[in-house]
Amino acid sequence: MKPLRDAGLSALVALGLFGVMIGLKTDAGPHSLVLRARPWAVAAAVAAVFFGRLAMLYWRQWRPAGTPSPRHVAATLSRIGRYAAPLLLAFAITLPLYAGRYWLDLGVLVLTYVMLGWGLNIVVGLAGLLDLGYVAFYAVGAYSYALLAQTFDLGFWTCLPLAGLLAALWGVMLGFPVLRLRGDYLAIVTLAFGEIIRIVLLNWVSLTGGPNGLSGIPRPTLFGLKFNGGGGPGSFADFFGLEPSISQRVVYLYFVILGLALLTNWVSLRLRRLPLGRAWEALREDEVACRSLGINVTVTKLTAFAIGAAFGGFAGAFFATRQAFISPESFTFIESAVVLAIVVLGGLGSQLGTALAALVMIGGAEVFRDLQEYRMLIFGLALVVVMVVRPRGLVSGRTPSVALGGRRHIGADMMSEGHG
Amino acid sequence: MAPLLAVRDLTMRFGGLTAVDALSFEAREGEITAVIGPNGAGKTTVFNCITGFYRPTSGSLALARGGGFALERMPGHLIARRARVARTFQNIRLFAGMTVLENLMVAQHNMLMPNVARGLLAVFGLGGHAKLERAAIEKARLWLDAIGLTARADDPAGALPYGAQRRLEIARAMCTDPVLLCLDEPAAGLNPRESDELSNLLRQIRSGMAGLPGCSILLIEHDMGVVMRISDHIVVLDHGRKISDGTPDQVSHDPKVIAAYLGEGDEDEIPAEAQA
Ligand SMILES: Nc1ncnc2c1ncn2[C@@H]1O[C@H](COP(=O)(O)OP(=O)(O)OP(=O)(O)O)[C@@H](O)[C@H]1O
Ligand SMILES: [Mg+2]
């Protein structure tokens, strides 16, 4: 009887919520908006909630006794991870061989978010600093490249390190005053910083073009060879005697972002095994203990912020060169939120998890584009399901950075998520 | 022996509450100095002042090493790094999600990474990092042997039993090469056998073991068995003031000390055991 009452209660709540949200629809009438009632849609939604809840409760009761423990699941997942990572990499490298233009474009988009996720993972996953304004560094990188390229006529490969450096500088400038704050306070200040950067970009019309943005940003070249659709002297197609085609540029862009993402991955994996990365993780575990061991907490946090920001800046520069047009609209808070969701869903500190989460979230969102209005619903539902089933993210836990014997996986239940 | 740490007129106020009141004492080199007193006497507060977690309201904390350090004016991380004062915490503060070995490696952070530039060079395998890392692992191994945790080196610190966590926290502090080790109730929650092992470990640390230089110890402890057995010198606090100071024998016969502990009512620890 109890499950029935429980399900009835859930249905009642659903009725209260959906009664207005689904039950009433505004349509454009001949003179003004008209309100249309949709009782059947509400009934369907409420019934779905009722039976869904009932099924869930019964499943919980009758679930077989030998349900695997979370630790066992984590160990299995980490074993799968060992094969999944090389497979995923092989898939990513060979994609241009069999994928068409659409899929490659999607690949570029996913890889951009993978890279952003890996960059933010350094700050949030390793150092445990909750940064809600990561998009600020993405924007700094993008505008740095666009302005440097247009003002000084520099190429993509010259500007890329500069864009990263400038973003890192901004990371330090932001970090210096705010890193004394912890937890929620840090999150709110970084969020504000992201907005400030966007608003400055929007209003500093003489430099950034304001809401009109910057257009005609130069495309990347390969050792001076251009990728333009028309071919012509000095172009990639002309040099190799190929038929000029726009898809050559797409393939090139795809490999550029793949390389940048792999660089991010390599640097963060490497840093994790070094004293700096170890200090980040120690900071996430216990800041007070770090201080008692003589670790300069401020400098250590700043390095995490700066290195994370630098990768955000690289990704920004790539974004600018790919789009050839940027405007403040591309750097809203929702971008920070999506990247953070990728990191959290993937499992804090996990490289493979972040890549998988980016693939599912960005790739999934694109694939479901046809479903239009249901897209966000499916998206939200997926988030809730993952957080219920695996609250620590898809791939949680960590591998020790150093070991006397074999490196054994450490479950996430041992780890702290950081308070800074 | 020369005084290593001289505490002079240390006062720490929290709003209207004076947790430490014009306290003066000395910790001599090569000795174990115990700080005891009833709950809330201000012992942990004294430690927090010495290690830079609190800035004292007034008074001085002079460490006689090198050119001398005024600890009351130094930021916390420099006290550990330059003045070489290490500490443990009353509530264990290990890096629970990192392995036992990693805990000891983090403690050697400043040796492994003298500055950020060196830390970043190491990404590309430059700056002689591999050699430093090997030396750090060797030192960690030495301490793992000393605390009997070599077999558990690759387990997460949070999975160790309580007594082992206490020992690991001491070893981690020792990996910073301190001249003064401040221990806040290291025997709390240990069984009698573990307390005995702890006493031996602390004696070894004082006199120097396995080729390591000796290290003076400042010890807060409620377990009077341990205190009386290993201390060279005891300072007794009550309500932030020093009420007695001397050898274990002198202190345990001091009527003021007995009164302070009896005044608490339920203290069965001190005098009975101490006078035995
Ligand atoms: N940060 C603080 N803010 C306000 N009061 C504090 C603070 N830290 C300590 N106190 C107060 O100072 C007094 C001394 O506390 P302290 O922790 O030093 O005692 P203790 O001798 O270590 O006691 P115990 O044996 O229980 O550990 C207590 O009354 C405590 O409430
Ligand atoms: Mg205390």
Side-chain angles (χ1 to χ4, degrees):
Chain A
M1 269 306 78
K2 187 149 179 300
L4 261 177
R5 210 184 56 208
D6 238 39
L9 222 64
S10 306
L12 216 64
V13 173
L15 182 68
L17 280 173
F18 296 146
V20 187
M21 285 181 351
I22 295 183
L24 297 177
K25 186 166 189 284
T26 47
D27 274 336
H31 306 295
S32 60
L33 288 177
V34 292
L35 217 53
R36 208 153 51 81
R38 296 193 295 183
W40 288 113
V42 177
V46 170
V49 167
F50 179 81
F51 289 111
R53 176 81 185 152
L54 209 60
M56 198 174 110
L57 289 171
Y58 275 115
W59 181 73
R60 225 181 248 171
Q61 260 174 33
W62 301 114
R63 160 164 62 179
T67 316
S69 73
R71 190 168 300 215
H72 187 80
V73 172
T76 317
L77 268 178
S78 88
R79 212 168 320 126
I80 295 173
R82 216 171 302 146
Y83 303 103
L87 278 178
L88 220 59
L89 180 62
F91 172 67
I93 291 175
T94 54
L95 186 69
L97 293 179
Y98 39 77
R101 170 90 193 272
Y102 170 77
W103 291 104
L104 273 186
D105 267 329
L106 183 55
V108 169
L109 188 69
V110 169
L111 281 173
T112 310
Y113 279 92
V114 169
M115 176 168 179
L116 285 172
W118 279 339
L120 185 61
N121 208 356
I122 292 176
V123 184
V124 181
L126 291 184
L129 304 167
L130 187 50
D131 181 356
L132 290 181
Y134 193 58
V135 73
F137 307 123
Y138 190 44
V140 168
Y143 274 86
S144 302
Y145 168 58
L147 291 171
L148 283 171
Q150 291 188 335
T151 319
F152 301 106
D153 206 20
L154 297 171
F156 175 71
W157 294 109
T158 325
C159 293
L160 186 69
L162 292 176
L165 215 65
L166 281 169
L169 198 71
W170 277 94
V172 172
M173 269 162 55
L174 161 73
F176 210 70
V178 308
L179 283 180
R180 311 166 174 271
L181 303 174
R182 308 183 69 185
D184 310 347
Y185 299 99
L186 177 69
I188 287 169
V189 174
T190 50
L191 189 155
F193 179 74
E195 283 301 286
I196 289 172
I197 292 269
R198 190 177 62 85
I199 289 167
V200 167
L201 292 176
L202 203 58
N203 289 290
W204 194 349
V205 180
S206 62
L207 183 73
T208 65
N212 297 329
L214 297 167
S215 53
I217 300 166
R219 299 292 196 162
T221 55
L222 178 68
F223 299 111
L225 298 175
K226 292 200 187 74
F227 290 88
N228 38 13
S235 79
F236 178 81
D238 181 56
F239 188 83
F240 288 99
L242 301 169
E243 192 72 17
S245 148
I246 203 81
S247 61
Q248 285 157 8
R249 178 163 76 207
V250 178
V251 171
Y252 180 55
L253 282 173
Y254 178 83
F255 279 118
V256 169
I257 187 64
L258 182 62
L260 285 175
L262 288 178
L263 177 77
T264 314
N265 183 40
W266 179 76
V267 171
S268 27
L269 282 181
R270 184 100 186 107
L271 275 170
R272 260 211 62 208
R273 298 264 167 103
L274 293 172
L276 187 56
R278 233 180 262 141
W280 289 339
E281 289 203 82
L283 210 61
R284 180 193 67 208
E285 297 283 328
D286 194 327
E287 188 176 327
V288 169
C290 279
R291 191 139 69 101
S292 82
L293 296 173
I295 294 175
N296 189 334
V297 172
T298 316
V299 166
T300 308
K301 282 183 179 178
L302 275 181
T303 53
F305 238 66
I307 293 174
F311 287 117
F314 289 150
F318 174 81
F319 177 76
T321 196
R322 170 178 118 106
Q323 303 283 347
F325 164 76
I326 49 172
S327 77
E329 249 170 72
S330 310
F331 307 105
T332 49
F333 168 68
I334 195 75
E335 294 297 314
S336 294
V338 166
V339 178
L340 187 67
I342 287 174
V343 173
V344 172
L345 273 184
L348 290 176
S350 156
Q351 300 293 107
L352 178 65
T354 304
L356 285 176
L359 192 64
V360 171
M361 281 194 59
I362 305 302
E366 278 302 313
V367 170
F368 285 119
R369 193 173 276 280
D370 295 341
L371 297 176
Q372 292 279 353
E373 46 203 87
Y374 297 103
R375 197 159 64 120
M376 282 323 260
L377 191 70
I378 295 171
F379 205 55
L381 202 67
L383 286 192
V384 172
V385 167
V386 171
M387 284 294 107
V388 168
V389 181
R390 297 192 58 78
R392 296 288 186 131
L394 289 173
V395 184
S396 50
R398 63 183 287 270
T399 328
S401 61
V402 56
L404 290 185
R407 290 175 214 267
R408 284 194 296 271
H409 187 80
I410 297 177
D413 47 338
M414 283 290 166
M415 289 158 58
S416 151
E417 283 148 354
H419 310 281
Chain B
M1 274 286 193
L4 177 64
L5 175 74
V7 177
R8 292 269 164 273
D9 293 320
L10 180 71
T11 301
M12 183 75 218
R13 281 195 204 96
F14 299 107
L17 176 88
T18 307
V20 179
D21 193 359
L23 173 71
S24 301
F25 72 91
E26 281 173 356
R28 286 188 286 272
E29 191 152 2
E31 288 193 354
I32 296 180
T33 307
V35 179
I36 64 170
N39 290 111
K43 307 178 295 289
T44 300
T45 306
V46 172
F47 267 33
N48 282 338
C49 290
I50 293 173
T51 50
F53 282 85
Y54 294 159
R55 183 135 301 194
T57 311
S58 66
S60 73
L61 298 156
L63 188 86
R65 182 180 164 270
F69 292 95
L71 301 186
E72 75 277 8
R73 285 201 294 270
M74 290 170 73
H77 70 275
L78 288 185
I79 290 179
R81 185 172 184 173
R82 301 251 167 82
R84 300 219 165 273
V85 178
R87 73 172 291 179
T88 64
F89 296 87
Q90 188 165 353
N91 310 307
I92 301 178
R93 282 182 172 274
L94 288 171
F95 306 122
M98 303 176 85
T99 65
V100 170
L101 178 64
E102 281 181 307
N103 269 270
L104 300 184
M105 297 296 280
V106 171
Q108 301 177 64
H109 179 81
N110 287 322
M111 186 275 277
L112 284 165
M113 195 183 115
N115 52 52
V116 175
R118 287 281 290 277
L120 292 179
L121 275 181
V123 173
F124 309 101
L126 304 171
H129 174 259
K131 212 172 111 198
L132 291 178
E133 180 98 354
R134 269 197 301 278
I137 292 178
E138 261 334 293
K139 182 144 127 220
R141 207 191 269 273
L142 212 75
W143 278 104
L144 286 174
D145 283 339
I147 59 172
L149 283 180
T150 312
R152 306 211 57 179
D154 299 329
D155 289 343
L160 294 180
Y162 193 78
Q165 293 197 10
R166 284 265 177 224
R167 274 177 290 150
L168 176 58
E169 208 190 11
I170 295 173
R172 186 181 68 179
M174 285 309 293
C175 277
T176 64
D177 289 332
V179 293
L180 180 65
L181 176 66
C182 302
L183 302 172
D184 200 342
E185 301 197 17
L190 301 192
N191 63 36
R193 194 177 55 91
E194 287 174 325
S195 306
D196 277 349
E197 285 170 6
L198 178 79
S199 302
N200 289 336
L201 177 67
L202 295 189
R203 280 204 203 97
Q204 281 178 324
I205 287 176
R206 170 182 56 184
S207 51
M209 50 193 276
L212 293 170
C215 174
S216 318
I217 295 177
L218 200 58
L219 170 76
I220 294 178
E221 190 46 72
H222 278 300
D223 182 335
M224 285 308 137
V226 172
V227 170
M228 293 300 158
R229 222 174 313 139
I230 64 173
S231 308
D232 300 294
H233 176 136
I234 299 178
V235 178
V236 190
L237 297 190
D238 190 20
H239 293 108
R241 290 213 181 84
K242 184 165 86 175
I243 56 169
S244 185
D245 187 344
T247 63
D249 201 42
Q250 287 167 342
V251 165
S252 61
H253 290 98
D254 189 329
K256 276 200 247 142
V257 176
I258 296 167
Y261 272 85
L262 290 181
E264 264 214 332
D266 54 62
E267 283 287 313
D268 52 9
E269 298 165 303
I270 211 188
E273 246 182 282
Q275 288 166 348

